[in-house]
Amino acid sequence: MTIRVGIVGAGPIALSMAAFLADHGDLPLLWSPSGRWVDVSHGEYTVSFTDKIEGQYTFALAADAKTLVDDVDVVIVAVVGSQHKAAFDAVLPFLRPEQSVIVSSHCSFGALYLQKGLAKRGLDIPVIAWSTTLTTCNPRGEAQFKVMTIRQRIDMATVPRRHAGYGLSLCKRLFGDRFFERDGLLAVAVSNVNPQNHLAICLCNFTRMENGETWNFNLNITESVSRLIDALDAERLSLARTLGVEVRTAREHWHFTHNVPVLPVHEATRVIEGRGISFWGQKTAQTNWVLEDVPFGLVPMVTLGRMFGCDMTLHEAGIAIYSALYGRMFRDENDLLPALDLPAIGAAGLLELCN
């Protein structure tokens, strides 16, 4: 049976996800809250993909959040972390009991924020949190995108947990047998390795980004950068153990994303490069690898560390260094955490909410 899927977002990740759905017989409808990538007044958008997805696609566009939600069975939020709260607030008034919501990828306990809003409406709707995105995808020109990766494994959790079986079956139905149910939302909250990895890679190559240089992502993850990735990962893994949840390592993330052996990251990237596959680093300091990942990836991890008494020294230092480099307080740019008021909920209360 065809499933009508509404995607909040129209950037590279949302568009490549829509192409994947279209290839598998489902009907994607997109709405762009920001209008950055598409003009929704046109009613449709034609875009071309290369590499892991090939071809030209024309997607229907919804004019607003109500139109999107009214016309679909499943809503997927696929915008950057800084837009998650606004996206949740936009769709909340229109969600119906028979629908489900997928958050790709989940950050900063957004699923709890959405559940809080649903509870006020008296709705019991599965909210499915992904630890990462289905694809990696970059623009290559006007309405042209390159899909570098379709991930073979994505960790996920569903809240409330009584809907876990349904959440897993829905994700597999839409996107194939690539999903692994983690032990609740806390596990997913500490499963996303991108913020810590991007911290190490971007910080160590910062002037390359700032100067707009073209630089090889694979080759500039040197052995020292790889050690920093491992050290950051050790803090995250220690936090996971304290929380009593099992998560993948950063090395395993590279293994599942790029089909390479489980190796130190600098060795894994050399394997990728040896296959003739080159990835290129960010050419601007105004990248979501910092502007999104710091407030919505690193700050929540540090918040958890403080709540549960875990040492997150390197994560803390990364936030402080980036705040100095950019002349802005990244700690204050997360709008989801204040809305949840985790200190008032407390460690025990958070465990209860996530379970």
Side-chain angles (χ1 to χ4, degrees), residues 106-170:
H106 179 265
C107 66
S108 200
F109 296 101
L112 293 184
Y113 176 81
L114 184 54
Q115 278 291 330
K116 182 179 178 181
L118 291 168
K120 289 181 179 178
R121 291 193 55 208
L123 293 180
D124 180 23
I125 289 178
V127 178
I128 303 157
W130 290 3
S131 66
T132 190
T133 57
L134 175 71
T135 66
T136 60
C137 180
N138 282 335
R140 285 293 185 266
E142 182 66 28
Q144 297 178 8
F145 296 86
K146 180 178 180 179
V147 180
M148 289 86 71
T149 306
I150 299 177
R151 289 192 169 94
Q152 296 306 303
R153 179 158 168 167
I154 299 173
D155 294 337
M156 57 160 289
T158 304
V159 291
R161 287 187 72 174
R162 61 181 173 275
H163 296 308
Y166 173 79
L168 181 60
S169 64
L170 175 64

Side-chain angles (χ1 to χ4, degrees), residues 252-273:
E252 289 170 335
H253 171 79
W254 249 272
H255 163 67
F256 285 113
T257 298
H258 300 290
N259 191 27
V260 294
V262 178
L263 297 167
V265 174
H266 70 287
E267 295 182 20
T269 58
R270 298 315 183 273
V271 173
I272 298 168
E273 192 72 20

Side-chain angles (χ1 to χ4, degrees), residues 208-219:
R208 290 188 173 97
M209 300 192 314
E210 195 173 30
N211 288 328
E213 296 177 15
T214 298
W215 54 283
N216 186 300
F217 177 88
N218 290 336
L219 299 182

Side-chain angles (χ1 to χ4, degrees), residues 3 29-30 45 47 56 63 66 105 116 119-120 180 184 205 255 264 314 326 337 351:
I3 298 179
L29 174 67
L30 292 92
Y45 183 56
V47 60
Q56 186 177 83
K66 183 179 187 304
S105 58
K116 182 179 178 181
K120 289 181 179 178
F180 184 83
N205 290 281
H255 163 67
L314 288 173
Y326 283 80
L337 290 179
L351 288 172

Side-chain angles (χ1 to χ4, degrees), residues 333-349:
E333 296 186 14
N334 185 312
D335 57 357
L336 282 168
L337 290 179
L340 286 169
D341 196 8
L342 293 186
I345 293 172

Side-chain angles (χ1 to χ4, degrees), residues 74-289:
V74 179
V75 175
I76 300 178
V77 176
V79 293
V80 295
S82 59
Q83 296 179 19
H84 275 200
K85 183 177 180 295
F88 295 149
D89 290 341
V91 301
L92 257 170
F94 311 113
L95 289 168
R96 304 187 304 275
E98 68 273 15
Q99 292 175 314
S100 303
V101 179
I102 296 173
V103 185
S104 167
S105 58
H106 179 265
C107 66
S108 200
F109 296 101
L112 293 184
Y113 176 81
L114 184 54
Q115 278 291 330
K116 182 179 178 181
L118 291 168
K120 289 181 179 178
R121 291 193 55 208
L123 293 180
D124 180 23
I125 289 178
V127 178
I128 303 157
W130 290 3
S131 66
T132 190
T133 57
L134 175 71
T135 66
T136 60
C137 180
N138 282 335
R140 285 293 185 266
E142 182 66 28
Q144 297 178 8
F145 296 86
K146 180 178 180 179
V147 180
M148 289 86 71
T149 306
I150 299 177
R151 289 192 169 94
Q152 296 306 303
R153 179 158 168 167
I154 299 173
D155 294 337
M156 57 160 289
T158 304
V159 291
R161 287 187 72 174
R162 61 181 173 275
H163 296 308
Y166 173 79
L168 181 60
S169 64
L170 175 64
C171 290
K172 288 183 175 181
R173 161 60 184 82
L174 289 172
F175 299 103
D177 189 15
R178 66 187 74 245
F179 295 91
F180 184 83
E181 180 74 30
R182 284 297 182 187
D183 188 19
L185 187 65
L186 270 179
V188 168
V190 293
S191 285
N192 189 352
V193 300
N194 285 334
Q196 66 178 40
N197 292 346
H198 293 165
L199 166 61
I201 298 163
C202 291
L203 190 59
C204 293
N205 290 281
F206 188 80
T207 55
R208 290 188 173 97
M209 300 192 314
E210 195 173 30
N211 288 328
E213 296 177 15
T214 298
W215 54 283
N216 186 300
F217 177 88
N218 290 336
L219 299 182
N220 282 287
I221 299 179
T222 60
E223 185 174 358
S224 57
V225 176
S226 184
R227 282 196 296 269
L228 179 54
I229 289 173
D230 280 342
L232 285 159
D233 204 38
E235 291 185 349
R236 182 183 63 92
L237 296 173
S238 177
L239 175 60
R241 286 192 295 272
T242 300
L243 296 173
V245 297
E246 183 181 347
V247 298
R248 284 186 287 152
T249 67
R251 296 182 183 190
E252 289 170 335
H253 171 79
W254 249 272
H255 163 67
F256 285 113
T257 298
H258 300 290
N259 191 27
V260 294
V262 178
L263 297 167
V265 174
H266 70 287
E267 295 182 20
T269 58
R270 298 315 183 273
V271 173
I272 298 168
E273 192 72 20
R275 295 171 179 169
I277 302 172
S278 295
F279 297 121
W280 303 101
Q282 301 294 301
K283 297 183 69 173
T284 172
Q286 303 305 307
T287 168
N288 285 331
W289 287 14

